[in-house]
Amino acid sequence: SATVPAGIAAPTALANIRSNDFVNGIAATAANSDVSIVSGLGAGMALTPATGAISTSAATPPGVYTIVYQLCDKTTPTPNCATATDTITVIPTIDAVNDPALSVPATGGTVPNVVANDTVNGGTAAVIGTNVSAPTLVNNGGLTGLVINADGTLTVPNGTAPNVYNVDYQICYLPATTPTATCDTARVVITVTGAIAPNPESATVPAGIAAPTALAN
């Protein structure tokens, strides 16, 4: 059996499928045996008969592949073959990437989808609901009331104190059981800036007198 990450070419995912096989009590080799696949190869997988190696490619989807192969004796004129199984597990990969720093006023606001720059299986774009889950907050960085939305955006509430907040989120590969749950975390730095909102005012006073509170504020 062998385990390889998804999204890469692994020409020696399984170095030699006949490595523990025997022909007439002698270790099976290309000289005394022929090997072929009966069933179980996934997309982008291939057998090299001369070496017994099974390869995967970037196109091989995550999953557990039970491969049935046939080994035949080359040293006798009468065909003499047997079958056996081997397993290759292709593990999904996920890369949640730290996001560029974002700025939001103290009056609040929503920042763009933080999953937009994340990838799966060696470079495929992460798409919420298609190949990754909706993000979840791992750490709000002290930003009380921060909401992470199902579309990957973050909503900062009105009245948040100006500060720099280091926020961590997590996404997981979908489907979650292919073949095991795979998740990753990343950080987005949110700077909440102060907001000043002056309002116009007016006052009326008679001429020729001192009016120390003509305009109070």
Side-chain angles (χ1 to χ4, degrees):
S1 63
T3 300
V4 295
I8 66 167
T12 56
L14 189 62
N16 184 4
I17 202 168
R18 56 160 81 90
S19 62
N20 61 342
D21 298 335
F22 294 87
V23 175
N24 301 321
I26 300 172
T29 66
N32 62 16
S33 65
D34 288 320
V35 65
S36 59
I37 299 298
V38 176
S39 64
L41 284 187
M45 300 176 71
L47 167 71
T48 302
T51 62
I54 293 183
S55 62
T56 62
S57 75
T60 304
V64 178
Y65 298 88
T66 301
I67 299 167
V68 180
Y69 68 97
Q70 179 175 262
L71 190 74
C72 294
D73 182 4
K74 290 174 62 174
T75 63
T76 59
T78 303
N80 182 21
C81 302
T83 59
T85 61
D86 224 321
T87 302
I88 293 179
T89 302
V90 180
I91 299 293
T93 60
I94 187 166
D95 185 17
V97 180
N98 292 341
D99 292 86
L102 300 169
S103 180
V104 179
T107 52
T110 299
V111 303
N113 175 16
V114 294
V115 179
N117 63 337
D118 299 337
T119 61
V120 301
N121 297 336
T124 300
V127 179
I128 297 171
T130 298
N131 53 22
V132 297
S133 64
T136 56
L137 275 180
V138 175
N139 167 38
N140 69 2
L143 202 166
T144 303
L146 176 68
V147 175
I148 190 163
N149 303 301
D151 62 358
T153 60
L154 300 177
T155 300
V156 177
N158 180 21
T160 298
N163 207 339
V164 178
Y165 300 91
N166 295 313
V167 176
D168 299 318
Y169 70 92
Q170 176 179 270
I171 53 174
C172 296
Y173 186 82
L174 291 178
T177 56
T178 309
T180 57
T182 303
C183 304
D184 195 22
T185 61
R187 171 163 291 185
V188 54
V189 178
I190 299 176
T191 299
V192 177
T193 59
I196 298 176
N199 292 310
E201 298 175 87
S202 63
T204 301
V205 296
I209 66 167
T213 57
L215 192 59
N217 181 13

